[in-house]
Amino acid sequence: MTAAGAGSPGFDWEALRVVARDAMSRAYSPYSGYPVGCAAVVDDGRTVSGCNVENASYGLGLCAECGLVSQLQNTGGGRLTHFTCVDGQGEILVPCGRCRQLLFEFGGPELLLETPAGVLPLSEMLPQAFGPGHLAQ
């Protein structure tokens, strides 16, 4: 599936990957040796990014998506519309399950994710997601 087929005609995924690769270059991954960077476009046109930050206490490491969402909130909030993530070689990487849930909170089911299989809405990557609406019931 192409970006146009996923409801984003003309979207420049390569430009977004450049931002993700730049973020990846600042990752702190001395334990795993697996740097990750991600970038997303916000509904107001801003671009936010993040990188993974490991910790000697392995469970305290932060995924790149955590940094991205922190930057999103720190720069005015909004909704994520397009998202990509790359590994240490700059290749497209899919977010883990925890991070898909985090992205759902800030982009919703219609957030477009660039994946090795093409551009997919988050609803296909995290079907039947639990979200803020469930807490209001």
Side-chain angles (χ1 to χ4, degrees), residues 24-48:
M24 179 270 299
S25 74
R26 290 186 293 283
Y28 178 72
S29 56
Y31 306 105
S32 72
Y34 196 80
V36 176
C38 62
V41 174
V42 184
D43 58 2
D44 64 6
R46 283 178 295 134
T47 299
V48 292

Side-chain angles (χ1 to χ4, degrees), residues 73-133:
Q73 288 304 107
N74 193 42
T75 60
R79 299 296 287 170
L80 302 174
T81 61
H82 298 77
F83 173 89
T84 194
C85 188
V86 298
D87 64 17
Q89 284 69 52
E91 298 298 319
I92 299 168
L93 183 66
V94 295
C96 70
R98 173 182 177 261
C99 290
R100 292 177 198 189
Q101 181 67 41
L102 183 65
L103 292 170
F104 184 81
E105 185 85 10
F106 294 93
E110 62 280 350
L111 172 62
L112 297 177
L113 279 73
E114 184 179 39
T115 78
V119 176
L120 299 171
L122 184 54
S123 60
E124 289 187 33
M125 299 293 295
L126 187 66
Q128 300 184 43
F130 181 86

